[in-house]
């Protein structure tokens, strides 16, 4: 995720800002067996991928906070480890 976030830093050159990166990478990062099954209609699959891209975009925009060592220690301490 940090790598994709760093790629977004070069969006003025590549035009791959966090939204575009999320659209491209979300189906692979948040793969859903339901979408891959034949019972999912085209519209439902599109909505699922849209939700996935919003989640990945959020993660990319907040990668420094979400993957910081400080947050990791707070989570670890809260879990009683």
């Amino acid at each position: 995720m940090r790598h994709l976030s760093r790629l977004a830093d070069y969006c003025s050159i590549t035009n791959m800002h966090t939204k575009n990166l999320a659209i491209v990478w979300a189906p692979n990062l948040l793969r859903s067996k339901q979408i891959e099954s034949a019972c999912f209609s085209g519209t439902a699959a599109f909505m699922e991928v849209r939700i996935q891209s919003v989640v990945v975009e959020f993660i990319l925009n907040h990668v420094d906070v979400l993957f910081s060592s400080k947050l990791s220690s707070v989570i670890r301490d809260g879990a009683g480890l």
Side-chain angles (χ1 to χ4, degrees):
M1 293 308 275
R2 288 183 195 272
H3 175 70
L4 292 177
S5 179
R6 277 186 252 132
L7 284 176
D9 292 339
Y10 296 96
C11 66
S12 62
I13 299 167
T14 64
N15 199 32
M16 291 300 285
H17 44 79
T18 55
K19 185 171 185 144
N20 285 345
L21 288 168
I23 290 169
V24 171
W25 283 96
N28 291 308
L29 294 172
L30 301 176
R31 178 154 289 184
S32 171
K33 295 290 183 188
Q34 291 175 332
I35 291 176
E36 294 174 2
S37 71
C39 66
F40 237 71
S41 71
T43 304
F46 175 76
M47 291 305 295
E48 183 75 18
V49 171
R50 183 161 157 58
I51 292 167
Q52 290 173 342
S53 68
V54 169
V55 170
V56 171
E57 184 179 3
F58 176 84
I59 293 170
L60 290 175
N61 285 327
H62 298 92
V63 73
D64 292 333
V65 174
L66 294 171
F67 296 102
S68 72
S69 58
K70 188 174 186 178
L71 180 62
S72 296
S73 66
V74 168
I75 291 170
R76 187 175 46 249
D77 294 343
L81 297 176

